[in-house]
Amino acid sequence: MKPNITLIGMPASGKSTIGVLLAKRLGYSFVDVDIVIQERTGRLLKEIIAREGTEGFLQIENRVNQELDVTHSVIAPGGSVVYGREAMEHLKQISQIVYLKLTYEELKQRLGDLADRGVVLKPGMTLRDLYEERVPLYERYAQITVSEGRRGPGAVVDELREIMEKNMAARRIV
């Protein structure tokens, strides 16, 4: 098994919540890449987007993700990480990629203020447009997909932990 797990998905899909719980259950560290970006730049995500624009933010996000050097960690990058090919190639090399899948209706219910969350929306783009643009990218990069449905974080973490333990056991047999 690769030494890390990376959780991808839409904003509000539970990457941070599930990531912290999963890290605790596996005895791993937790890395919130949005916080790493803020620490490295000295600015909030929304400030970076306001100053650098969408493309500038995506470049910073891509660079920070492709420079991650961690082991035995659950990594929670921002939802837009899938736009960075280099970042996703690096994350795939150092971790198993898990897609936390939500329906559009579930996403709409969970999301608050998109700007305050640091969500990257191109001018004129709706939340539905963003969802339809990103889902195929998440599906392309995912090695494991977990549909959240209406389950709580604990149930999702239990399922992920079971999948990870089965993967580890299968690798020991081979």
Side-chain angles (χ1 to χ4, degrees):
M1 185 171 144
K2 294 180 182 175
N4 301 301
I5 299 163
T6 296
L7 304 176
I8 61 172
M10 291 296 291
S13 63
K15 295 180 299 288
S16 295
T17 302
I18 290 167
V20 167
L21 293 172
L22 184 61
K24 284 180 180 180
R25 290 203 191 159
L26 296 174
Y28 278 23
S29 296
F30 176 72
V31 179
D32 184 323
V33 181
D34 285 348
I35 292 173
V36 174
I37 291 169
Q38 290 180 163
E39 288 172 349
R40 289 196 186 169
T41 62
R43 295 182 280 170
L44 298 175
L45 299 181
K46 64 183 179 181
E47 293 170 345
I48 297 169
I49 294 167
R51 191 166 189 199
E52 309 290 332
T54 300
E55 287 306 313
F57 172 78
L58 291 174
Q59 288 173 6
I60 292 167
E61 180 182 47
N62 188 43
R63 185 183 71 248
V64 169
N65 277 287
Q66 76 183 58
E67 292 172 354
L68 280 180
D69 184 19
V70 297
T71 57
H72 300 295
S73 296
V74 176
I75 303 164
S80 55
V81 68
V82 291
Y83 295 129
R85 186 180 51 80
E86 298 86 357
M88 290 307 301
E89 286 175 6
H90 174 68
L91 291 170
K92 198 169 188 175
Q93 285 177 353
I94 68 165
S95 65
Q96 282 206 292
I97 308 290
V98 176
Y99 170 32
L100 299 177
K101 186 175 183 173
L102 286 177
T103 66
Y104 176 72
E105 290 71 27
E106 291 164 336
L107 173 68
K108 207 165 75 170
Q109 258 184 342
R110 290 184 184 191
L111 272 176
D113 182 359
L114 294 181
D116 200 44
R117 279 184 162 270
V119 175
V120 177
L121 274 179
K122 297 171 190 162
M125 184 178 253
T126 66
L127 180 59
R128 170 71 80 175
D129 296 334
L130 182 71
Y131 181 83
E132 291 176 3
E133 179 178 88
R134 287 189 184 175
V135 166
L137 296 172
Y138 297 136
E139 290 172 346
R140 178 188 322 154
Y141 288 114
Q143 295 164 308
I144 297 168
T145 299
V146 176
S147 294
E148 291 188 66
R150 302 233 180 261
R151 300 183 299 161
V156 174
V157 169
D158 289 342
E159 181 180 344
L160 276 173
R161 186 171 159 210
E162 189 175 308
I163 290 168
M164 295 305 157
E165 287 172 354
K166 283 181 184 175
N167 285 350
M168 287 185 343
R171 290 177 200 276
R172 276 189 232 122
I173 294 170
V174 174

